[in-house]
Amino acid sequence: MGIEFPPLVIAEIGINHEGDPAKAHRMIDDAADAGVECVKFQTHVVTDEMIPNDVVPGNADEPIYAMMERCALSAQDEREMKAHAEERGMIFLSTPFSRAAADRLAELDVPAYKIGSGECNNYPLVRHIASLGKPVVLSTGMNDIASIRPAVEILRAAGVGFALLHCTSLYPTPPEMVRLGALDELREAFPDAVLGLSDHTTSIYPCLGSVALGARVLERHFTSDAGWPGPDIPVSSTPEEFGRLVEGSRLIHASLGGSKEVLAAEQPTIDFAYACVVTTAPVAAGERLSAANVWVKRPGTGQIRAVDYERVLGRTAARDLPADLQVGWDDLVDA
């Protein structure tokens, strides 16, 4: 990952499988078929993650504790998911929500860790994950620069590579609350970070727009079927949408950079699109050239381009010039 590379598109399967490994495996295949490079799950060891509670998330209708108990995959399930993803040529990532979850992923030898926005300022957990020695992708929703900075300092001290994902932790996120301008703030505050967007809108457009602003990691929730139940389904994209996200992000990345100059490759277009000075009527030798007998017309294969039209006016013809002749400097003498 880096500014010079096309964006890494992460399909956040999360808990959209609702605890059903068969649905999870289907989503792995569908993501791979869509051209996605990376799938991400969530690793929940519920007893190490939270105490029993009745708190209901804003995008759900059941307590978070019961939801995580129902949706948590086993260690063996996750081992099989990782093997499946890698067989399909994809990177397997997961978000650990506790020490036990991070340690489970360490045993799986995951290539990197994703830390969710809710854990961005959970510095003890960030420190534990950083101590495992793998790169970290850190979402920063619900955090400002001041609360992100200690987490970044932990990652720097551990010597692990890291990416920071701007995020709005609102499901769904209205477009006016996406705030892509935050990418500039993150770049200024943390110039050594790879930047990205973890998006919770209902379309792929904010992710595509963020590429032009430097985002090189794009994360959205993924589902094989928009009709499935689950709290994150309304902010999830389908395989078809992810296919367009992958294609569009690569195209936008390829379009970046460069400078405003004429390319050699544009010459074939110049040859027909530019205008050159031509006679609009026969001009006798010694006759003065004026707007009455010369103008600018295509193609652009003549010697005197339209930009020099004013320099031609007032000069005299060095020889008889027929109509529709592309005028050359040798055809002219000073008045």
Side-chain angles (χ1 to χ4, degrees):
M1 296 185 296
I3 196 69
E4 69 273 26
F5 297 104
L8 174 68
V9 174
I10 299 176
E12 161 76 68
I13 291 174
I15 59 170
N16 277 350
H17 48 72
E18 290 277 293
D20 182 349
K23 292 174 75 172
H25 282 291
R26 175 181 167 182
M27 283 189 276
I28 290 172
D29 280 328
D30 289 345
D33 291 343
V36 173
E37 295 179 82
C38 178
V39 289
K40 192 191 79 65
F41 287 80
Q42 295 178 10
T43 300
H44 295 281
V45 181
V46 181
T47 56
D48 197 52
E49 178 180 326
M50 66 182 83
I51 60 173
N53 66 87
D54 295 322
V55 176
V56 178
N59 61 333
D61 56 7
E62 65 178 315
I64 186 68
Y65 193 90
M67 183 192 305
M68 292 304 105
E69 279 194 315
R70 177 170 54 80
C71 294
L73 296 172
S74 69
Q76 182 57 32
D77 287 335
E78 291 186 339
R79 185 176 301 278
E80 292 171 1
M81 303 302 166
K82 180 173 183 289
H84 185 180
E86 291 172 349
E87 286 170 3
R88 293 302 310 268
M90 292 188 294
I91 299 167
F92 172 92
L93 295 181
S94 189
T95 299
F97 287 83
S98 65
R99 288 175 300 178
D103 293 342
R104 177 195 289 184
L105 292 173
E107 291 177 4
L108 288 180
D109 194 25
V110 293
Y113 296 91
K114 167 68 193 299
I115 298 178
S117 293
E119 286 65 53
C120 180
N121 60 18
N122 183 346
Y123 308 128
L125 182 58
V126 173
R127 185 172 290 105
H128 179 76
I129 293 171
S131 73
L132 299 173
K134 297 290 181 68
V136 168
V137 178
L138 176 65
S139 277
T140 61
M142 304 176 291
N143 286 268
D144 56 17
I145 297 297
S147 59
I148 297 166
R149 193 176 300 281
V152 168
E153 290 172 354
I154 291 169
L155 300 175
R156 287 172 175 162
V160 297
F162 62 97
L164 300 178
L165 306 189
H166 170 55
C167 177
T168 301
S169 299
L170 186 61
Y171 308 85
T173 302
E176 63 273 16
M177 293 186 181
V178 173
R179 302 162 298 144
L180 291 180
L183 289 167
D184 287 335
E185 292 184 59
L186 289 170
R187 181 181 299 106
E188 181 177 353
F190 311 107
D192 53 337
V194 176
L195 299 182
L197 178 69
S198 180
D199 179 47
H200 299 121
T201 65
T202 57
S203 82
I204 64 173
Y205 298 121
C207 278
L208 291 174
S210 73
V211 177
L213 300 177
R216 294 299 178 265
V217 182
L218 308 177
E219 179 184 69
R220 279 191 56 77
H221 284 274
F222 179 93
T223 182
S224 291
D225 187 334
W228 281 350
D232 294 326
I233 296 296
V235 296
S236 298
S237 287
T238 62
E240 186 273 335
E241 290 170 317
F242 261 88
R244 289 191 284 116
L245 176 57
V246 170
E247 178 185 20
S249 64
R250 290 176 181 172
L251 187 152
I252 293 169
H253 179 264
S255 303
L256 299 176
S259 59
K260 190 57 185 167
E261 59 184 341
V262 179
L263 300 177
E266 292 179 295
Q267 188 60 48
T269 306
I270 288 172
D271 287 345
F272 77 80
Y274 273 16
C276 292
V277 176
V278 302
T279 55
T280 56
V283 182
E287 184 180 350
R288 190 182 300 273
L289 275 70
S290 69
N293 54 27
V294 291
W295 183 236
V296 289
K297 295 183 180 182
R298 297 198 294 177
T301 52
Q303 184 183 24
I304 304 178
R305 297 240 170 98
V307 295
D308 290 320
Y309 175 69
E310 302 294 337
R311 293 176 58 195
V312 171
L313 299 179
R315 298 195 182 196
T316 57
R319 60 182 180 86
D320 289 341
L321 307 178
D324 291 332
L325 173 74
Q326 289 181 325
V327 179
W329 293 115
D330 292 342
D331 296 323
L332 308 176
V333 293
D334 292 334

